[in-house]
Amino acid sequence: MRISNRLVLSAMAGINNAEFCMSFPAGLVILGGFNADLMAMEAARKVVARGRKEFLFDSPIEGIESEVAKISGRKVFAVNVRSSSLNGFLDVADIVRRYGGIVEINAHCRQPELIEAKCGMWLMKHPKDLFTIVKETSAIAPTGVKLRNSENCVEVAKLAFEAGAVYVHVDAMIPGGLCDFEVVKRISQLGITIGNNSVNSLEMAEKMAEVAHLVSAARAVLKDRFFFHKLLISPKLAEPFEFSIDLRKTDQISKA
Ligand SMILES: Cc1cc2nc3c(=O)[nH]c(=O)nc-3n(C[C@H](O)[C@H](O)[C@H](O)COP(=O)(O)O)c2cc1C
């Protein structure tokens, strides 16, 4: 599978629906984050109650499928998912298999309500659970993992690749606002990476492209709808990227 350039639109809960994602020229766009089971959805409702954006659906799986159906065949996409249960991840992997995308397991979210519901960063503290999830979803659909820079981040990335992840998406934030390029570089030696955090200029994007295979941005796109257009003047960022995965829609469970 070839993506048209090395840019990735990073997940933003309550913002990255199909319509929003389709409006950017990034080679890969990430829908969500979505909450795949009722416990995760309950946590998301609490997050909304204190003023943050989330996608709220009465039926989480139907809501996720309706967004995926709109983008399928039009953009190369991944779906960022939080879930309290293995089944939630498996349900989304099944949707992604049918519509031809990548499921991105969210081990990144730090909202306390979601961590309490065993979602997001909870998985970084429970790498064995993350390993099981990635192994199981990888048997259904191509699986990526979103991690946050932390003490055990390289170790967790290694486990994710061993479990079958096709990429690790690293939010390399250093508390205090800087970005840890070194940790991205180390993970890039283990497998395909998407480097993330503070990519807010052409210079930062090119710097990230030195250490990661793909480069993602979230907040910069909210500030400037033409941010990705501006990055695409760089030959380094505009070059296509070959993934050794097959994203064709399939009714067969992949044995790859
Ligand atoms: C409003 C908002 C919502 C976000 N929601 C999610 C999410 O649901 N899942 C996720 O993995 N990351 C989420 N993120 C994190 C971004 O994907 C990204 O990792 C982070 O903002 C750092 O990248 P940036 O410096 O390019 O913004 C969110 C970020 C913002 C600003």
Side-chain angles (χ1 to χ4, degrees):
M1 191 270 300
R2 168 179 264 239
I3 60 173
S4 57
N5 57 59
R6 292 173 67 194
L7 302 179
V8 179
L9 173 65
S10 198
M12 287 184 278
I15 296 173
N16 286 25
N17 61 12
E19 192 189 349
F20 183 83
C21 287
M22 281 188 291
S23 68
F24 297 101
L28 171 68
V29 293
I30 304 187
L31 290 168
F34 293 124
N35 306 294
D37 64 5
L38 292 174
M39 207 166 142
M41 191 59 82
E42 200 45 50
R45 287 189 199 284
K46 292 181 193 158
V47 172
V48 169
R50 63 172 166 84
R52 282 185 69 98
K53 288 186 179 167
E54 284 286 336
F55 291 110
L56 299 181
F57 301 125
D58 290 334
S59 166
I61 294 303
E62 278 173 30
I64 296 169
E65 182 163 358
S66 76
E67 287 305 314
V68 171
K70 285 182 214 159
I71 204 165
S72 173
R74 303 175 74 177
K75 280 294 262 185
V76 180
F77 68 94
V79 183
N80 181 280
V81 192
R82 301 94 158 240
S83 178
S84 300
S85 61
L86 175 61
N87 276 344
F89 290 113
L90 298 181
D91 287 344
V92 177
D94 189 58
I95 294 173
V96 161
R97 170 180 64 81
R98 287 188 280 111
Y99 288 93
I102 301 171
V103 55
E104 180 173 278
I105 308 301
N106 182 327
H108 166 274
C109 177
R110 58 181 173 178
Q111 303 308 318
E113 299 87 343
L114 282 151
I115 293 176
E116 203 176 308
K118 300 187 174 181
C119 295
M121 267 195 84
W122 186 88
L123 289 173
M124 293 217 48
K125 298 233 157 65
H126 298 82
K128 280 188 190 158
D129 294 77
L130 179 63
F131 184 88
T132 304
I133 292 161
V134 176
K135 203 164 172 56
E136 299 254 348
T137 57
S138 293
I140 300 172
T143 300
V145 177
K146 173 94 174 272
L147 300 179
R148 183 181 287 281
N149 188 16
S150 57
E151 252 177 90
N152 65 344
C153 167
V154 177
E155 198 183 304
V156 174
K158 188 162 180 278
L159 270 184
F161 285 125
E162 282 167 8
V166 296
Y167 71 71
V168 167
H169 188 172
V170 195
D171 179 342
M173 185 186 88
I174 301 172
L178 300 170
C179 176
D180 187 348
F181 291 103
E182 198 49 43
V183 83
V184 181
K185 194 172 173 182
R186 284 174 65 198
I187 296 175
S188 295
Q189 282 152 12
L190 306 172
I192 303 292
T193 50
I194 305 176
N196 171 250
N197 207 278
S198 306
V199 172
N200 52 15
S201 65
L202 181 59
E203 191 196 355
M204 279 296 275
E206 288 193 323
K207 207 165 160 195
M208 189 62 93
E210 299 280 326
V211 291
H213 299 86
L214 300 171
V215 174
S216 78
R219 289 168 297 178
V221 169
L222 296 181
K223 285 203 187 107
D224 178 3
R225 295 293 291 241
F226 295 101
F227 182 65
F228 285 130
H229 295 81
K230 290 173 183 167
L231 297 188
L232 285 171
I233 62 160
S234 156
K236 195 191 287 183
L237 299 169
E239 70 190 12
F241 184 79
E242 201 73 47
F243 254 113
S244 55
I245 52 173
D246 187 353
L247 287 185
R248 274 176 307 185
K249 300 176 202 179
T250 172
D251 288 330
Q252 300 297 315
I253 293 201
S254 157
K255 298 273 186 262

